[in-house]
């Protein structure tokens, strides 16, 4: 049985809830774990309040419990970055904890990120990286997964049912690895909607993760990005929702991710700007093919990607401490 730890996760912002999801999975596995976000996203911004449900954000009410968690922690797990005053605070409060650093972002892309593990002044014993496209950039880090807590489900497409497609990027910033937009996708979706082949759902503003997942469960196809060769958390959410999950993930990205699933590569459907229209039309014209691929997605998530199984990957990484 894996040793059970007292773990504190700390991030400057919610990082679309990724640290809190790790903490929740670890609590489900028997660890005593808390996630702290130093601040929410800007109050007037579109992401404010949407990703903090499972975080503690420090105020007069929570400061005592945060101080206690830090002082008693066996592991302090830092995500992406930390203000200098927090570095000083941690070192003063706890001289025995093991420090873990995890990076979620590509280099020098919005929101601008530079590696901080060597400059934070903390004695990191382990460096982790999200195991999607990121390991090709951060090459001396151990791979760990993003975790999805939604219970897997599937609503296979039925005969006579129009193909329902969702595309829901959190942003449209340009970049090598953060890019989530190609013009051909817009054209393909608009054309296929006009032809009556598909129903397209494209939120015009950020919505809560729970609402977005509820809508995704009603769809047959989730489109991630088809620009970079990587993929993002939405692809994992697509599998959990039993969707045909379309992205441009290349061999490297899928091979890295397969380390979390006993070597079985994720059942993503490949498309790029040139092929997205024909890929969607093929599924639109074949309800049985759609339903079969939906079941493949659902079964893969259920077999490999549940929170307890993903938490065990962090346990294995911590064993090196």
């Amino acid at each position: 049985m894996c040793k059970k730890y007292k773990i504190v996760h700390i991030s400057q912002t919610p990082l679309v809830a990724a640290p809190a999801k790790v903490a929740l999975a670890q609590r489900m596995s028997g660890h005593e774990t808390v996630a702290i976000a130093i601040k929410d996203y800007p109050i007037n911004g579109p992401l404010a309040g949407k990703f903090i449900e499972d975080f503690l954000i420090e105020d007069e009410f929570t400061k005592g419990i945060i101080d206690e968690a830090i002082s008693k922690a066996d592991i302090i797990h830092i995500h992406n970055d930390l203000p200098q005053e927090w570095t000083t605070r941690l070192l003063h409060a706890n001289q025995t904890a093991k420090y873990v650093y995890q990076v979620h972002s590509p280099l020098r892309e919005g929101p601008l990120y530079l590696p901080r593990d060597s400059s934070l002044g903390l004695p990191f014993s382990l460096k982790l990286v999200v195991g999607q496209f990121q390991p090709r950039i951060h090459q001396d880090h151990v791979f760990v997964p993003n975790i999805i807590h939604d219970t897997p489900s599937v609503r296979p497409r039925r005969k006579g049912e129009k193909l329902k497609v969702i595309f829901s990027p959190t942003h449209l910033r340009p970049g090598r690895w953060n890019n989530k937009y190609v013009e051909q996708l817009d054209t393909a979706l608009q054309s296929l909607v006009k032809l009556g082949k598909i129903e397209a759902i494209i939120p015009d503003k950020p919505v809560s993760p729970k609402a977005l997942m509820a809508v995704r469960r009603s769809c047959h196809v989730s489109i991630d990005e088809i620009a970079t060769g990587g993929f993002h958390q939405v692809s994992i959410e697509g599998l959990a929702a039993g969707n045909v999950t379309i992205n441009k993930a290349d061999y490297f990205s899928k091979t890295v991710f397969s380390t979390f699933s006993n070597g079985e590569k994720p059942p993503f459907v490949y498309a790029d700007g040139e092929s997205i229209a024909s890929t969607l039309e093929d599924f639109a014209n074949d309800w049985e093919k759609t339903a079969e691929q939906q079941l493949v997605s659902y079964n893969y998530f259920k077999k490999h990607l549940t929170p307890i199984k993903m938490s065990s990957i962090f346990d294995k990484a911590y064993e090196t401490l």
Side-chain angles (χ1 to χ4, degrees):
M1 179 179 291
C2 176
K3 182 179 178 180
K4 301 307 177 186
Y5 298 104
K6 294 181 174 68
I7 307 165
V8 174
H9 292 265
I10 308 175
S11 57
Q12 284 214 103
T13 67
L15 291 175
V16 293
K21 289 176 181 177
V22 177
L24 177 56
Q26 290 173 330
R27 289 196 295 276
M28 293 167 65
S29 300
H31 299 290
E32 187 176 326
T33 313
V34 64
I36 300 163
I38 295 174
K39 59 184 177 182
D40 192 7
Y41 291 114
I43 192 167
N44 295 322
L47 302 181
K50 291 186 169 61
F51 296 99
I52 60 170
E53 181 177 357
D54 291 313
F55 280 102
L56 288 178
I57 292 182
E58 192 169 61
D59 56 25
E60 290 183 6
F61 182 73
T62 61
K63 187 179 187 306
I65 192 67
I66 288 173
D67 285 340
E68 182 180 11
I70 291 170
S71 67
K72 293 182 176 180
D74 302 309
I75 296 171
I76 297 178
H77 189 139
I78 307 300
H79 297 260
N80 262 13
D81 201 359
L82 203 62
Q84 184 59 50
E85 59 267 26
W86 271 78
T87 295
T88 304
R89 175 180 178 179
L90 294 174
L91 291 173
H92 178 76
N94 191 327
Q95 290 83 46
T96 60
K98 298 293 185 180
Y99 283 86
V100 174
Y101 179 75
Q102 181 174 343
V103 58
H104 297 253
S105 304
L107 296 175
R108 298 180 177 86
E109 294 187 27
L112 190 62
Y113 173 77
L114 297 172
R116 296 297 310 278
D117 55 287
S118 59
S119 62
L120 282 173
L122 293 171
F124 292 114
S125 303
L126 176 65
K127 293 192 292 185
L128 308 177
V129 63
V130 175
Q132 294 169 197
F133 63 84
Q134 291 90 338
R136 71 183 83 202
I137 305 164
H138 307 282
Q139 297 176 6
D140 58 342
H141 294 48
V142 175
F143 311 157
V144 289
N146 270 323
I147 298 178
I148 303 299
H149 282 275
D150 298 279
T151 303
S153 64
V154 61
R155 292 173 58 184
R157 186 183 176 195
R158 298 186 299 272
K159 185 176 182 179
E161 195 174 8
K162 186 181 291 187
L163 187 72
K164 195 171 180 181
V165 179
I166 182 169
F167 176 58
S168 57
T170 52
H171 65 79
L172 295 175
R173 288 189 300 265
R176 173 61 184 95
W177 294 108
N178 261 337
N179 188 16
K180 299 183 180 181
Y181 173 77
V182 294
E183 187 176 351
Q184 295 100 318
L185 176 57
D186 264 357
T187 303
L189 291 173
Q190 292 171 14
S191 298
L192 290 168
V193 167
K194 287 178 181 178
L195 289 169
K197 295 273 190 178
I198 69 170
E199 177 184 348
I201 297 174
I202 309 172
D204 59 3
K205 60 182 179 180
V207 297
S208 75
K210 291 185 183 300
L212 192 60
M213 193 62 178
V215 173
R216 196 177 304 282
R217 290 185 194 280
S218 74
C219 294
H220 310 115
V221 175
S222 283
I223 301 175
D224 192 349
E225 53 94 349
I226 55 170
T228 71
F231 66 94
H232 303 269
Q233 185 168 298
V234 67
S235 284
I236 311 172
E237 293 169 353
L239 299 178
N243 282 189
V244 176
T245 301
I246 297 176
N247 59 39
K248 196 187 172 185
D250 60 20
Y251 177 84
F252 180 90
S253 294
K254 289 187 286 188
T255 299
V256 166
F257 195 75
S258 72
T259 63
F260 310 139
S261 54
N262 300 320
E264 186 178 344
K265 292 184 177 64
F268 301 143
V269 175
Y270 178 91
D272 58 17
E274 299 301 319
S275 65
I276 185 62
S278 60
T279 299
L280 287 172
E281 188 169 19
D282 284 346
F283 281 105
N285 291 337
D286 193 334
W287 70 270
E288 290 176 306
K289 178 181 178 180
T290 306
E292 288 169 5
Q293 186 63 37
Q294 287 181 263
L295 289 169
V296 170
S297 295
Y298 165 77
N299 288 327
Y300 182 91
F301 187 96
K302 191 174 180 181
K303 181 179 180 182
H304 295 299
L305 304 182
T306 58
I308 295 292
K309 290 181 179 179
M310 295 296 95
S311 177
S312 71
I313 294 167
F314 286 86
D315 290 344
K316 290 176 184 176
Y318 289 161
E319 286 173 7
T320 64
L321 298 172

